[in-house]
Amino acid sequence: MSQLTHVWVLSDNAERYAELLSGARLWGQQVHAIVYGAEQVKRVQSLGADSVIVLEPHSELQCIENFAETLAARIEQDAAGQPSLLLMAATKRCKALGARLSVQLNAAMVNDATAITIADGSVWAEHRMYGGLAFGKEKLNGPLAIITLASGALEPAAADASHTCPVVTADYIAPRHEIRCLERRAKTLSSVDLSKAKRVVGVGRGLAAKEDLAMVRELASVLGAEVGCSRPIAEGENWMERERYVGVSGVLLKSDLYLTLGISGQIQHMVGGNGAKVIVAINKDKNAPIFNYADYGLVGDIYKVVPALIGELSH
């Protein structure tokens, strides 16, 4: 069997549905998109789902994790013991929801999968191990598998505005103990999806101060590129948004160009950057590991090289 009977797709980030549904259509005979709120229906319908299941929040403070019992009942009813997969985005909320469903449905679960294969009716998932130094391949036993898919693992599905499918609203089943959200506060989020960018300029520890990001953004502008970073810039210094972090637990690039500035090139970062077609490295340390991965390398100080590049490329 090369396909499962049912694949359900769920994401708390609407941008991920195109990629998730691309895989679901490969692996499932029947593809069901689960959306949080009816406003997502049209967008998801156009991506080729066979049906759309709506989880309707009762208020703006309703948490998606409270729909675990609702989803468990729906999946159990529809699957009826047939080979099935619940495919979700690898986000914090989806992982938390997946863990609860894994217990309730007695289903095996793998997080941050980079590849999925179906063989003899069984689901196999590849994922990074040991900080990206190796890949593991796991067989998920049982009729139902739950997997969260790493961003950038698949090419997104193309939208077809003429495609329609049945839409149903799931009956809400309240959990024994609801998670209560008392308040929501807006935070600045990046709208960028680096996994879709054609050109990316990445910056690392070689940048001395947050203010110096201005020259990096200027270089990216003249290149028509997005700006990414290594983990210390996003999670250590907090100079950039988490969504711009390239690496083992961040974004996997599929860009035509990845220009790295002051990035040492540790394996944890290059797991995310290696998918670029061309890698160009600029680093003042001639022994930096990044040069082992780069198609083109320049040993130099980014504070001298970047302004020179901006000047040349601006003509």
Side-chain angles (χ1 to χ4, degrees):
M1 181 187 294
S2 60
Q3 282 191 315
L4 304 170
T5 306
H6 296 280
V7 177
W8 294 269
V9 170
L10 173 63
S11 177
D12 62 330
N13 177 357
E15 296 295 327
R16 292 295 311 279
Y17 275 107
E19 184 182 356
L20 293 171
L21 282 164
S22 173
R25 282 156 53 176
L26 291 174
W27 304 318
Q29 296 172 9
Q30 291 291 314
V31 176
H32 316 282
I34 304 168
V35 298
Y36 191 59
E39 65 276 3
Q40 300 293 340
V41 170
K42 278 192 175 181
R43 178 177 191 165
V44 172
Q45 271 187 325
S46 70
L47 296 171
D50 296 310
S51 70
V52 177
I53 301 168
V54 180
L55 305 179
E56 196 62 68
H58 300 130
S59 73
E60 292 184 0
L61 298 180
Q62 181 83 347
C63 297
I64 193 171
E65 293 89 340
N66 288 329
F67 282 84
E69 282 74 8
T70 303
L71 286 171
R74 180 81 198 196
I75 290 171
E76 207 163 29
Q77 172 189 313
D78 291 350
Q82 299 173 86
S84 305
L85 167 66
L86 172 59
L87 183 67
M88 298 190 288
T91 64
K92 289 181 180 179
R93 284 190 166 178
C94 284
K95 288 177 183 179
L97 179 61
R100 296 181 67 172
L101 288 168
S102 175
V103 173
Q104 292 182 26
L105 295 169
N106 192 29
M109 180 176 180
V110 170
N111 280 320
D112 298 302
T114 55
I116 298 172
T117 53
I118 311 298
D120 300 324
S122 296
V123 180
W124 295 79
E126 291 186 23
H127 62 104
R128 297 181 291 270
M129 301 172 65
Y130 310 121
L133 293 173
F135 282 84
K137 189 172 184 179
E138 314 291 347
K139 180 183 179 183
L140 288 84
N141 294 316
L144 174 65
I146 300 175
I147 297 175
T148 63
L149 189 70
S151 176
L154 296 169
E155 289 293 331
D160 177 3
S162 65
H163 178 78
T164 60
C165 63
V167 178
V168 296
T169 299
D171 295 328
Y172 181 65
I173 301 174
R176 183 176 300 176
H177 301 289
E178 282 197 344
I179 297 173
R180 294 178 60 203
C181 177
L182 302 179
E183 181 184 2
R184 291 189 190 275
R185 297 181 183 178
K187 70 174 184 178
T188 303
L189 286 176
S190 170
S191 60
V192 68
D193 185 350
L194 290 185
S195 67
K196 298 178 182 176
K198 294 298 182 184
R199 298 175 184 176
V200 178
V201 175
V203 63
R205 288 180 183 269
L207 199 72
K210 183 177 181 179
E211 293 73 24
D212 299 332
L213 282 169
M215 72 172 184
V216 177
R217 293 189 177 106
E218 187 177 355
L219 176 59
S221 177
V222 296
L223 283 172
E226 294 287 356
V227 178
C229 65
S230 61
R231 182 172 184 172
I233 298 299
E235 296 189 343
E237 302 293 347
N238 293 315
W239 288 351
M240 299 188 72
E241 305 95 324
R242 175 66 174 74
E243 291 80 5
R244 294 185 183 270
Y245 153 44
V246 176
V248 66
S249 56
V251 179
L252 305 180
L253 296 183
K254 289 191 173 182
S255 54
D256 294 332
L257 170 69
Y258 185 34
L259 171 58
T260 71
L261 307 174
I263 290 178
S264 63
Q266 297 300 322
I267 184 65
Q268 291 85 353
H269 179 79
M270 296 313 301
V271 164
N274 253 343
K277 293 178 183 176
V278 176
I279 299 174
V280 179
I282 301 173
N283 197 299
K284 65 182 179 182
D285 179 5
K286 66 179 182 180
N287 297 314
I290 189 71
F291 291 119
N292 295 324
Y293 300 94
D295 298 287
Y296 303 94
L298 173 63
V299 178
D301 186 341
I302 62 172
Y303 285 91
K304 296 179 180 178
V305 175
V306 171
L309 281 175
I310 293 171
E312 288 295 322
L313 294 170
S314 297
H315 292 322

